Amino acid sequence: EAGVAQSPRYKIIEKRQSVAFWCNPISGHATLYWYQQILGQGPKLLIQFQNNGVVDDSQLPKDRFSAERLKGVDSTLKIQPAKLEDSAVYLCASSLLGGSGGVGTDTQYFGPGTRLTVL
Amino acid sequence: AQSVTQLGSHVSVSEGALVLLRCNYSSSVPPYLFWYVQYPNQGLQLLLKYTSAATLVKGINGFEAEFKKSETSFHLTKPSAHMSDAAEYFCAVRFTGGGNKLTFGTGTQLKVEL
């Protein structure tokens, strides 16, 4: 079974530029998550989708970050404009369901991440 | 407030020695608990999870963890460390009423020495 795919793996940009990350979840997984992992910290949830609807985006800096999941499969996370403090690894995860089916179906599987450096 | 704490940002053990990584949570209701491992330049891989069944949970690669409600802890152990265990380990908690949102600890970097 193919895992969660992410691209690009690495990205270096100047501050105030824009950047986009792509995620393809495990086939059949209804729920998709974007996490931000700053160096030395644990991952922090940015946004959670159930199919193509947003479940939780309470920690997404909406003035500069946006995310979409068209057709309930792939997802894109965008930063515009980027700041120095956005330097981090952006992790995408997916789960079969999103909290209603018990932990067996809610286990999150993570992709390899995209390492963003903002100069 | 609900939170998760990992004591010790760096742990160093000798090959063959016991591995003990500590995780404590703060919640009035026992949550679901997870341990993930992250190798350099890779995503997080699930080691094991506690789902309110058996309190002693066995995971992959010889790791296990014990849920202790009285201590609000979920420490990760392995009887004998191997060089390949060197990685960063994250404790994560799914609090009741939080949907499927995971709250992660700050991680513990495990170093295994010869």
Side-chain angles (χ1 to χ4, degrees):
Chain A
E1 179 183 86
V4 177
Q6 290 188 248
S7 68
R9 291 294 313 277
Y10 305 91
K11 189 72 177 180
I12 301 174
I13 63 173
E14 304 263 335
K15 60 182 179 182
R16 291 187 290 273
Q17 285 187 323
S18 302
V19 65
F21 313 126
W22 173 83
C23 173
N24 181 239
I26 293 173
S27 178
H29 279 197
T31 308
L32 185 146
Y33 315 77
W34 283 102
Y35 288 85
Q36 180 191 56
Q37 185 179 16
I38 293 173
L39 187 64
Q41 300 180 21
K44 180 185 79 172
L45 180 70
L46 291 175
I47 188 167
Q48 175 182 342
F49 291 95
Q50 179 86 9
N51 295 309
N52 60 352
V54 175
V55 174
D56 183 350
D57 63 356
S58 57
Q59 298 193 86
L60 185 74
K62 298 180 184 63
D63 58 333
R64 297 183 301 105
F65 285 65
S66 65
E68 59 182 11
R69 191 183 184 199
L70 301 176
K71 300 181 181 178
V73 182
D74 294 4
S75 177
T76 302
L77 176 70
K78 296 179 181 178
I79 307 175
Q80 181 179 13
K83 293 185 176 181
L84 296 177
E85 58 261 36
D86 298 331
S87 293
V89 175
Y90 290 85
L91 295 165
C92 179
S94 70
S95 64
L96 192 60
L97 294 174
S100 59
V103 172
T105 56
D106 299 342
T107 299
Q108 296 183 30
Y109 298 91
F110 286 79
T114 296
R115 183 177 298 276
L116 173 67
T117 302
V118 182
L119 302 175
Chain B
Q2 296 172 325
S3 63
V4 55
T5 302
Q6 289 184 243
L7 292 176
S9 58
H10 292 82
V11 170
S12 183
V13 300
S14 299
E15 190 173 35
L18 171 72
V19 175
L20 171 61
L21 305 180
R22 301 178 185 274
C23 174
N24 288 86
Y25 67 91
S26 174
S27 174
S28 58
V29 178
Y32 293 139
L33 296 143
F34 305 79
W35 275 100
Y36 283 86
V37 61
Q38 187 175 35
Y39 297 100
N41 299 315
Q42 295 187 28
L44 282 74
Q45 179 183 5
L46 181 66
L47 274 178
L48 49 81
K49 60 187 178 186
Y50 167 74
T51 62
S52 73
T55 56
L56 182 62
V57 181
K58 294 187 183 298
I60 62 172
N61 301 339
F63 283 93
E64 61 182 38
E66 185 173 8
F67 172 69
K68 292 186 177 181
K69 183 179 177 180
S70 61
E71 300 177 7
T72 60
S73 69
F74 190 57
H75 301 333
L76 182 71
T77 60
K78 182 174 180 178
S80 177
H82 190 272
M83 296 296 289
S84 60
D85 295 326
E88 188 151 25
Y89 293 79
F90 290 94
C91 179
V93 179
R94 177 189 159 189
F95 293 107
T96 303
N100 202 31
K101 176 181 176 179
L102 289 180
T103 299
F104 285 84
T106 52
T108 297
Q109 187 71 44
L110 175 65
K111 182 179 180 180
V112 182
E113 300 174 317
L114 288 172

